[in-house]
Amino acid sequence: MACVTGSWFTLKVNGAHHGFFNGKSGVRQGDLLSPYLFVLSMEILSRQLRTMCQPPNVSYHPKCSRIKLTHLVFADDLMIFTRGDLPSVQQAATILSSFSTWSGLTASLEKTEVYFGGVLPAVRDLILNAVGIKKGSFSFRYLGYLINDSRLTVDMYDELLLKV
């Protein structure tokens, strides 16, 4: 039996097959190898993001420096936490660009947003112009939970407690 060297796909419309087209690259959706490849590529990105916080470039977000948190990855979401200054954000953008060139994975700019807390408007505008990403606004829901820029209160935990 010969190795599979390519893939062909067809569209099924109203029960009938219509045409064929050639698969370009990558593994098929649902392939058992997919999660492993994702984890390996995210590990490389994670290592690159951790290097942005090595001396002399220490650029942790002020609330993340104690636990040395630079990013979170969940399924196909990536959150990067950095100090709210232009050099730190440019360094994160450079790492993402380098990773994209290497891996072929790119961020969807339509879905990407930058969130600011305690950053002066002039600096905020510089950052937005430099990275070309739209500004997000608090409050929003992520994975069903409220993300807010203010201190959490007891009533904000009610929804989580009900689920538990």
Side-chain angles (χ1 to χ4, degrees), residues 109-116 128 131-136:
L109 292 180
E110 299 82 36
K111 297 178 185 177
T112 302
E113 295 179 336
V114 177
Y115 293 88
F116 296 95
L128 291 171
V131 295
I133 299 173
K134 66 184 173 199
K135 179 183 172 288

Side-chain angles (χ1 to χ4, degrees), residues 6 28 41 53 59 74 84 101 105 111-112 115 136 140 145 153 156:
R28 293 180 182 170
S41 62
C53 291
S59 61
F74 179 79
T101 301
L105 299 172
K111 297 178 185 177
T112 302
Y115 293 88
F140 63 93
Y145 296 101
T153 61
M156 291 179 182

Side-chain angles (χ1 to χ4, degrees), residues 18 28 45 49 71-72 86 88-89 133 148-149 155 157:
H18 296 281
R28 293 180 182 170
L45 178 61
L49 287 170
H71 65 286
L72 293 174
L86 188 58
S88 299
V89 174
I133 299 173
N148 202 337
D149 61 344
D155 60 323
Y157 289 105

